Amino acid sequence: MVDPKRGSLLALTMLVLQKYGGSSVADLERIRACADRCVATANANGGLIVVVSAMKGETNRLIAMANALVQGASEDASGDPGQGDYVTAARRSAEHDRELDQLVATGEKVSAALLAMAIGDRGGRAVSLAGHQLGMHTDRSFTRAKITDISEQRIRAELAQGRVVVCAGFQGIDDRGDITTLGRGGSDTSAVALAAALRADVCEILTDVDGVYTTDPRLVPRAQKVHAMSYDEMLELASLGAKVLQIRSVAFAKKYGVRVHVRSSLHDGPGTMIVAPEEVARIRGERGTPSMEAIEVSGVALQRDEAKVTLVDVPDVPGVIAEVFGALGSGGVSVDMILQNASRNQRTDITFTVGNADLEAATEVLGRLRPGGESLTLETDRAIAKISIVGLGLRSHAEVAARVFSVLATENINVQMVSNSELKMSVVVQERYGELALRSLHSAFGLDAPT
Amino acid sequence: MVDPKRGSLLALTMLVLQKYGGSSVADLERIRACADRCVATANANGGLIVVVSAMKGETNRLIAMANALVQGASEDASGDPGQGDYVTAARRSAEHDRELDQLVATGEKVSAALLAMAIGDRGGRAVSLAGHQLGMHTDRSFTRAKITDISEQRIRAELAQGRVVVCAGFQGIDDRGDITTLGRGGSDTSAVALAAALRADVCEILTDVDGVYTTDPRLVPRAQKVHAMSYDEMLELASLGAKVLQIRSVAFAKKYGVRVHVRSSLHDGPGTMIVAPEEVARIRGERGTPSMEAIEVSGVALQRDEAKVTLVDVPDVPGVIAEVFGALGSGGVSVDMILQNASRNQRTDITFTVGNADLEAATEVLGRLRPGGESLTLETDRAIAKISIVGLGLRSHAEVAARVFSVLATENINVQMVSNSELKMSVVVQERYGELALRSLHSAFGLDAPT
């Protein structure tokens, strides 16, 4: 077989993978625009694999039908479809989940076939491949399947024929040939996994933003696009709510060293490269980012969806803290920051944050506990904001913490909680100061765009 | 493996195949009704395979998107979607057809998954199978594929597990794993082919009519449902425009001896059995139809969509008639009845009928011909009606023709053309007498329902 990266006949120089999200294929006009871009990319590079999501709204339409069919389920498929699970928990069964996957996977098949037709109409040559054709093998965890293996033969053969290979994202097959899906946002994972298996030179995530920004431009108008960022930084930013890439796909990219390029589907300008740290340094150097010694902060994020819980004056004896967090875990409450004050007379305060949506469950769980035989005194506060600074090697720079505290002190903002890790430093402040803290820190760490 | 028809564990007594058309699964309410019927059928018989079409309107929605995508094609996907080809001829290419099949086959996948979910919700157990899962192998003629082979293992295995197997109709896969479709109405063919491969006891075609009628009840209120009919009679009626079953599926049923039961999806009453002639006789006997010696007429049909062309006074020499019909065939005109008058002085008249839609093409083709060196004199007439009588062994009954002519003479209806075959006798009359001729013949052959 001809190796498409070295193809003797076609002299392919680069193998590019492009992923188009649901809004990029939302209607026929946008599908035509994608087709134009595919043709141009294929002409410029030689080899092109495309991964598409379902047309915007289609997945929800299909899920709404499934939910409405099943007695007792809500006819309303709203909620935030971008987050977490999309299965109506009440009716969950292995059979139902299997059918749900057979159902929703059709959305990506439709957009893949339409895009392939449009490329043909634009003078290109293309073939669409659905889950069972593109060799995406998964386990049998319907609605949240894990990729086990990718058979690349069919894709390689189509590339060798000079075709753009348009893959239906989000789906695979298990070893019985049943359709599985990779969970919400799974098309990102499809894209990165295919880029890894086919050893693509780059995995382009084409989206409706220009790239990854130093912070949310709606909050900080002087936010800048980041030229390059390491996988770990992107993981931290994604966990802080940056929606540009699904977390799992970033972890996958890191594991297999896939170079990811997040860029606009509307223009050709460069976006943000998500790559290994060495390449981050190289790209930043090329683009004139400050010297190696400067603190490399990639972004600052503000989260307002957490609440703070303080357990006042609890016995500081072994087992109490384990009982508290064990009970929260069993109760399905996930805890973010945890802070324990120094002990006085074997009593201490414990403070932690949870998602606002989990606060009620947390207080209920804790209300039932009697650690060391006494009930707990709780203080809760929803009016908090968390600001996080993300960058390579933050922890090694003691000055980062100093600068954070100094900036916030200058603004008279009291810091309620602090945590830091290799890549991230987070502070909790009163909610009303959240945006001010964000803007001040964004500026202090040199992230503001030149005026 | 457990043979589901003899299953030691499940003691299945009958294996039934049911096919639900697009209007039976048009919305969620109707899908629930189908699910109820599936559960009842499975409980009553043991083994059930279901074949579903796409939800009514879905195939056209998908085709309209495909047509709109392709430059120059009409955005209008109307016309009669029930007839013939659905591909925009202008843009036809193997690649486009392949993508069209990948696209439109999703419609049946959606309804199959929804129906399987609904059966589960109704307390049954079901699994949906799409083209690549149900073992429907075809050739590579996209949009009009021919079935080459059915691998029954997966379906048998699911049946042995006690599941209702819901198959996406209309689709198969070729030997590369590409999706193919069987052409418009292909779900009927899927149903009959699966019934043949799995040796189902009966293939039920559930539809929005009660069965096959002796003629169109809108024209003849006293039309009756036919209890049983042979494959050949059904083929003749289908070719005359009866839309209850796709012709190809009837030919398939005949070839493999599949017992087909056309019945209502709205109630449980018996419909029309389409079976071998021996069984027709048995069923008619059971239901008190007249003696074996009676002329067995199954139906009478009226067609008003043909036109008559007469070539006046052409040379009756070898080669002329061949040149005429050869040219029509090359011009894509399909000819129905042909009648040549006795020759006088080596000159003759030739009369034939063509579909109204082909009349213009026919006159154009014939206008260019110079058979024997002379141009042709044409007379055309769109104001004709064709009435056809269909029944087993018609030709052997000389009295049939006699009775037809006598009935029409009584009504003062002039017969313009006649043709007959083993199973069918057709007459052409002036269009204005068409309905009168239909009613008179329906009555004269004993088909009127008792008052």
Side-chain angles (χ1 to χ4, degrees), chain B residues 354-404:
Chain B
V354 295
N356 263 324
D358 281 348
L359 181 58
E360 203 172 326
T363 56
E364 197 182 304
V365 165
L366 297 173
R368 287 197 298 267
L369 286 193
R370 295 288 176 275
E374 9 175 327
S375 58
L376 295 164
T377 306
L378 301 185
E379 286 171 3
T380 63
D381 185 2
R382 289 180 187 269
I384 62 164
K386 186 172 87 170
I387 298 100
S388 303
I389 298 168
V390 171
L392 277 177
L394 272 196
R395 196 176 210 173
S396 58
H397 289 273
E399 63 179 289
V400 171
R403 197 183 299 179
V404 167

Side-chain angles (χ1 to χ4, degrees), chain B residues 123-413:
Chain B
R125 298 184 61 211
V127 62
S128 75
L129 299 181
H132 73 280
Q133 296 159 336
L134 58 81
M136 177 77 72
H137 301 290
T138 73
D139 64 15
R140 215 171 145 74
S141 317
F142 295 113
T143 77
R144 51 185 189 282
K146 300 280 176 292
I147 299 168
T148 54
D149 173 53
I150 294 177
S151 312
E152 55 193 280
Q153 296 88 338
R154 176 75 191 259
I155 297 180
R156 287 241 180 261
E158 299 289 356
L159 287 171
Q161 298 284 319
R163 295 201 181 95
V164 175
V165 183
V166 184
C167 304
F170 177 60
Q171 63 197 270
I173 49 164
D174 72 1
D175 53 12
R176 299 188 208 177
D178 285 344
I179 304 285
T180 54
T181 66
L182 308 178
R184 280 280 181 188
S187 290
D188 286 346
T189 304
S190 297
V192 173
L194 285 168
L198 278 293
R199 296 182 292 287
D201 292 285
V202 65
C203 174
E204 297 188 350
I205 306 291
L206 296 162
T207 176
D208 48 6
V209 296
D210 278 352
V212 184
Y213 274 68
T214 50
T215 194
D216 185 343
R218 288 168 302 185
L219 299 178
V220 183
R222 290 180 67 190
Q224 294 185 77
K225 189 170 65 190
V226 179
H227 296 306
M229 176 178 288
S230 68
Y231 300 115
D232 288 329
E233 288 170 293
M234 189 66 230
L235 282 171
E236 291 285 6
L237 284 174
S239 73
L240 295 173
K243 290 191 178 142
V244 68
L245 266 183
Q246 194 208 17
I247 287 190
R248 188 170 152 206
S249 67
V250 183
F252 218 102
K254 180 185 177 188
K255 182 168 176 188
Y256 292 98
V258 175
R259 300 170 71 244
V260 176
H261 189 181
V262 176
R263 63 194 302 192
S264 171
S265 62
L266 303 174
H267 63 71
D268 269 346
T272 302
M273 292 296 297
I274 297 162
V275 287
E278 312 81 75
E279 195 179 356
V280 172
R282 189 180 58 72
I283 294 171
R284 287 184 177 172
E286 283 171 4
R287 301 202 185 164
T289 338
S291 79
M292 294 291 291
E293 287 197 279
I295 298 164
E296 288 172 354
V297 172
S298 289
V300 185
L302 171 66
Q303 286 174 289
R304 285 184 277 213
D305 56 355
E306 293 193 9
K308 186 176 71 168
V309 179
T310 305
L311 306 179
V312 183
D313 194 36
V314 293
D316 186 18
V317 293
V320 166
I321 194 164
E323 188 177 345
V324 165
F325 291 105
L328 289 170
S330 309
V333 174
S334 83
V335 172
D336 180 22
M337 296 170 76
I338 300 174
L339 184 140
Q340 183 178 352
N341 281 354
S343 179
R344 288 176 313 236
N345 308 323
Q346 294 206 299
R347 313 287 297 184
T348 188
D349 294 346
I350 298 172
T351 305
F352 58 88
T353 61
V354 295
N356 263 324
D358 281 348
L359 181 58
E360 203 172 326
T363 56
E364 197 182 304
V365 165
L366 297 173
R368 287 197 298 267
L369 286 193
R370 295 288 176 275
E374 9 175 327
S375 58
L376 295 164
T377 306
L378 301 185
E379 286 171 3
T380 63
D381 185 2
R382 289 180 187 269
I384 62 164
K386 186 172 87 170
I387 298 100
S388 303
I389 298 168
V390 171
L392 277 177
L394 272 196
R395 196 176 210 173
S396 58
H397 289 273
E399 63 179 289
V400 171
R403 197 183 299 179
V404 167
F405 290 121
S406 140
V407 166
L408 296 177
T410 306
E411 302 288 355
N412 265 325
I413 300 172

Side-chain angles (χ1 to χ4, degrees), chain A residues 341-362:
Chain A
N341 280 355
S343 180
R344 287 175 315 235
N345 307 324
Q346 295 206 301
R347 314 286 297 182
T348 187
D349 294 346
I350 299 171
T351 305
F352 58 88
T353 61
V354 296
N356 263 325
D358 281 348
L359 181 58
E360 202 172 325

Side-chain angles (χ1 to χ4, degrees), chain A residues 5-290:
Chain A
K5 292 182 69 175
R6 302 176 186 282
S8 51
L9 295 170
L10 296 165
L12 306 183
T13 52
M14 282 255 290
L15 178 60
V16 174
L17 188 143
Q18 290 188 325
K19 182 250 168 182
Y20 292 92
S23 53
S24 299
V25 292
D27 55 39
L28 300 180
E29 191 183 336
R30 289 187 218 194
I31 290 175
R32 284 190 198 101
C34 291
D36 286 335
R37 183 155 189 162
C38 290
V39 171
T41 305
N43 288 342
N45 296 284
L48 177 62
I49 301 168
V50 176
V51 172
V52 286
S53 300
M55 296 170 81
K56 190 175 179 180
E58 179 64 6
T59 305
N60 287 344
R61 183 182 78 86
L62 294 168
I63 292 171
M65 285 202 293
N67 285 344
L69 250 191
V70 174
Q71 287 172 347
S74 165
E75 301 252 345
D76 176 18
S78 67
D80 184 348
Q83 297 298 313
D85 246 346
Y86 60 86
V87 179
T88 307
R91 299 298 306 184
R92 230 174 158 139
S93 72
E95 286 80 12
H96 184 77
D97 284 1
R98 178 195 180 276
E99 297 306 332
L100 206 53
D101 279 358
Q102 297 258 124
L103 178 71
V104 297
T106 61
E108 284 73 16
K109 291 174 191 178
V110 166
S111 46
L114 290 173
L115 180 55
M117 283 180 196
I119 292 172
D121 183 57
R122 269 27 199 175
R125 298 184 61 211
V127 63
S128 75
L129 298 181
H132 73 281
Q133 297 160 336
L134 58 80
M136 177 77 72
H137 302 289
T138 73
D139 64 15
R140 213 171 147 75
S141 317
F142 295 113
T143 76
R144 51 186 189 282
K146 301 278 176 292
I147 299 169
T148 53
D149 173 54
I150 294 177
S151 313
E152 56 193 278
Q153 296 89 337
R154 177 74 191 260
I155 297 179
R156 288 244 180 257
E158 299 289 356
L159 288 171
Q161 299 284 318
R163 296 201 180 95
V164 174
V165 183
V166 183
C167 304
F170 176 60
Q171 63 197 269
I173 49 164
D174 72 0
D175 53 12
R176 298 188 208 177
D178 285 345
I179 304 285
T180 54
T181 66
L182 308 178
R184 279 279 181 189
S187 290
D188 285 346
T189 304
S190 297
V192 173
L194 285 168
L198 278 295
R199 296 181 292 285
D201 292 285
V202 64
C203 174
E204 296 189 350
I205 306 290
L206 296 162
T207 176
D208 48 6
V209 296
D210 278 353
V212 184
Y213 274 69
T214 50
T215 194
D216 185 341
R218 288 168 303 186
L219 299 178
V220 182
R222 291 180 66 189
Q224 294 184 79
K225 189 171 64 191
V226 179
H227 296 307
M229 178 179 287
S230 68
Y231 301 116
D232 288 330
E233 289 171 293
M234 189 65 230
L235 281 171
E236 291 285 6
L237 284 174
S239 73
L240 295 174
K243 291 196 175 135
V244 67
L245 265 183
Q246 195 208 15
I247 287 190
R248 188 171 153 204
S249 68
V250 183
F252 217 102
K254 181 185 177 189
K255 182 169 176 186
Y256 292 98
V258 175
R259 301 170 70 244
V260 175
H261 188 181
V262 176
R263 62 195 303 192
S264 171
S265 62
L266 303 173
H267 62 73
D268 268 346
T272 302
M273 293 296 297
I274 297 161
V275 287
E278 313 81 74
E279 195 179 355
V280 173
R282 187 179 61 70
I283 294 172
R284 287 184 177 172
E286 282 171 4
R287 301 204 185 161
T289 338

